[in-house]
């Protein structure tokens, strides 16, 4: 399939991946080898030197293009972003996914290195800002997404066509994407591809504890919760014992909540969950799309399946409606 996104990043399929404590070289290389755009999560590497090593490790595992995510979120200690960017540039990376705050101040350095920048946005106004400051593409993250959906609560059924109405640069749909149906829907709504987070955690190559993958297969679309709303740092996470505790604290404190009140449930919990498989250790990002995850394929099996399903839906189901043979066909 060729879209503005496959052409922009030089990839075979318009499918992107990227996540904290999951986006290591193993997963990024597996996604890129399968024809998508694998993304190493920059800040999961504690220092720019470690990121440089992770980029080199990924390069050993794939000769296909892969990218790095740089997330500008309120964190407990601000990372040295210019040094991370230097590691990205020196590592020969040509695709950077930015997220959180605007990447404006870092655009000159990224553009000077010939890097294509895709900024993740949860609103049309932020997408337009990204376009204005010279981003090459946008990843439009709807309310259903795992991680930080912003504070507008607009689901992709509305957000994507709204983005299509306003944007000139290409965009991918992010949030709730799982399969060929998602991809075709995203294309129909104006996107040129899709970004998947949660779905890629439940793959053979995702370097996370088996308990995490099993939890995703077991979870339904009803099992995510929104936390940190009153801090205006809303995050969609998978429900567990510590998330229940966190929500009790949030409820009790109301508008008086500070990050210190919930520090134990949100800070530094990823290694215990993702590496040790302690599923109640704290809050970890997870999308409603968990309800559509029923297996743990390899990245290649997943991407091939998505592309096969997409083709079947377009050529069979959709064309069938037009040529009059589709009325009796089963839903894909
Ligand atoms: C475990 C996990 C960690 C994530 N970490 C990051 C991150 O560090 N930076 C970022 O920009 N997005 C992060 N995300 C968001 C994803 O990149 C993606 O936008 C989101 O998962 C899309 O929604 P989906 O989960 O429904 O596919 C994370 C998502 C998950 C599930």
């Amino acid at each position: 399939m060729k879209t503005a996104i496959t052409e922009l990043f030089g990839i075979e399929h318009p499918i992107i991946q990227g996540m904290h404590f999951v986006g290591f070289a193993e997963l990024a290389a597996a996604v890129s080898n399968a024809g998508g755009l694998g993304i190493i999560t920059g800040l999961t590497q504690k220092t720019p030197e470690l990121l440089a090593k992770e980029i080199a490790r990924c390069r050993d595992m794939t000769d296909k293009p892969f990218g790095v995510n740089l997330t500008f979120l309120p964190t407990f200690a601000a990372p040295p972003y210019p040094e991370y960017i230097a590691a990205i540039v020196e590592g020969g990376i040509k695709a950077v996914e930015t997220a959180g705050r605007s990447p404006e101040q870092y655009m000159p350095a990224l553009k000077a290195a010939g890097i294509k920048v895709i900024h993740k946005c949860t609103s049309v106004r932020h997408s337009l800002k990204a376009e204005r400051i010279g981003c090459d593409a946008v990843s439009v993250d709807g309310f259903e997404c795992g991680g930080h959906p912003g504070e507008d609560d607009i689901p992709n059924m509305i957000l994507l066509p709204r983005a299509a109405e306003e944007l000139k640069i290409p965009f991918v749909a992010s949030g709730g994407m799982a399969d060929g149906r998602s991809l075709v829907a995203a294309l129909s709504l104006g996107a040129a591809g899709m970004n998947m987070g949660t779905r890629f955690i439940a793959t053979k190559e995702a370097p996370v504890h088996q308990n995490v993958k099993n939890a995703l297969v077991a979870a339904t679309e009803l099992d995510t919760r929104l936390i940190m709303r009153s801090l205006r740092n809303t995050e969609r996470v998978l429900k567990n014992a510590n998330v229940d505790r966190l929500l009790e604290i949030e409820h009790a404190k109301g508008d008086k909540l500070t990050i210190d009140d919930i520090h134990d449930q949100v800070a530094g919990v990823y290694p215990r969950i993702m590496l040790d498989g302690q599923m109640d250790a704290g809050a970890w990002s997870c999308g409603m799309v968990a309800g559509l995850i029923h297996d743990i394929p390899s990245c290649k099996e997943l991407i091939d399946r998505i592309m096969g399903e997409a083709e079947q839906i377009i050529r069979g189901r959709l064309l069938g409606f037009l040529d009059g043979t589709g009325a009796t066909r089963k839903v894909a």
Side-chain angles (χ1 to χ4, degrees):
M1 186 181 280
K2 264 197 192 352
T3 73
I5 288 294
T6 59
E7 301 312 280
L8 183 64
F9 294 117
I11 54 179
E12 199 183 339
H13 308 304
I15 299 176
I16 304 180
Q17 150 276 327
M19 282 164 296
H20 184 49
F21 246 95
V22 187
F24 290 96
E26 286 78 7
L27 182 60
V31 171
S32 288
N33 281 332
L37 184 68
I39 304 234
I40 293 173
T41 314
L43 298 188
T44 298
Q45 302 301 321
K46 287 218 161 56
T47 65
E49 293 73 30
L50 287 173
L51 176 60
K53 283 194 184 139
E54 196 67 4
I55 292 171
R57 231 162 54 77
C58 196
R59 189 97 46 229
D60 283 344
M61 289 184 250
T62 184
D63 53 11
K64 301 269 178 67
F66 62 92
V68 172
N69 168 287
L70 264 189
T71 300
F72 305 107
L73 280 177
T75 51
F76 299 103
Y81 287 113
E83 291 162 37
Y84 275 96
I85 289 174
I88 289 168
V89 171
E90 282 156 28
I93 293 294
K94 293 295 171 207
V96 164
E97 179 197 53
T98 52
R101 295 200 190 115
S102 168
E104 187 165 8
Q105 73 181 108
Y106 303 109
M107 289 301 287
L110 293 167
K111 291 276 107 189
I115 291 172
K116 305 284 184 210
V117 178
I118 178 165
H119 186 52
K120 197 183 297 165
C121 302
T122 57
S123 70
V124 174
R125 63 188 183 284
H126 291 139
S127 302
L128 286 170
K129 166 97 191 275
E131 181 174 272
R132 244 183 352 260
I133 65 170
C135 290
D136 300 277
V138 179
S139 191
V140 175
D141 223 13
F143 181 52
E144 53 279 77
C145 73
H148 294 271
E151 311 303 327
D152 290 350
D153 302 356
I154 309 295
N156 269 333
M157 205 70 190
I158 309 298
L159 192 57
L160 297 173
R162 278 290 298 121
E165 283 176 5
E166 305 244 2
L167 283 174
K168 291 185 197 69
I169 54 174
F171 64 96
V172 297
S174 180
M177 304 289 129
D179 51 33
R181 296 171 300 185
S182 321
L183 178 57
V184 176
L187 297 173
S188 303
L189 295 171
M194 67 180 181
N195 176 54
M196 298 195 298
T198 306
R199 174 63 268 197
F200 272 122
I201 304 177
T203 57
K204 289 203 174 87
E205 294 94 340
V208 301
H209 198 282
Q210 188 64 30
N211 290 354
V212 179
K213 303 180 189 187
N214 295 346
L216 288 175
V217 174
T220 78
E221 63 277 22
L222 301 174
D223 292 333
T224 69
R225 296 290 179 268
L226 293 175
I227 62 168
M228 295 192 281
R229 186 109 259 197
S230 61
L231 299 177
R232 292 191 65 76
N233 186 26
T234 300
E235 182 179 1
R236 186 180 297 286
V237 301
L238 191 67
K239 174 183 153 58
N240 63 32
N242 240 324
V243 167
D244 288 345
R245 169 89 195 108
L246 183 156
L247 289 171
E248 277 168 23
I249 297 171
E250 286 195 356
H251 187 68
K253 298 263 172 181
D255 288 349
K256 308 256 168 345
L257 186 82
T258 70
I259 191 69
D260 292 334
D261 297 320
I262 54 168
H263 192 267
D264 291 352
Q265 283 83 22
V266 296
V269 297
Y270 268 70
R272 284 161 59 204
I273 293 158
M274 296 297 178
L275 303 180
D276 305 338
Q278 296 175 29
M279 296 315 298
D280 285 315
W284 63 282
S285 297
C286 175
M288 288 175 165
V289 74
L292 295 175
I293 296 176
H294 309 302
D295 61 358
I296 305 171
S298 70
C299 289
K300 178 156 174 48
E301 285 161 352
L302 178 63
I303 290 180
D304 284 351
R305 185 168 79 197
I306 290 171
M307 297 314 297
E309 284 169 0
E311 184 166 353
Q312 208 186 342
I313 293 169
I314 296 167
R315 288 194 202 281
R317 187 169 158 76
L318 299 185
L319 276 181
F321 289 134
L322 288 181
D323 69 20
T325 61
T328 53
R329 281 208 191 122
K330 193 182 162 298
V331 176

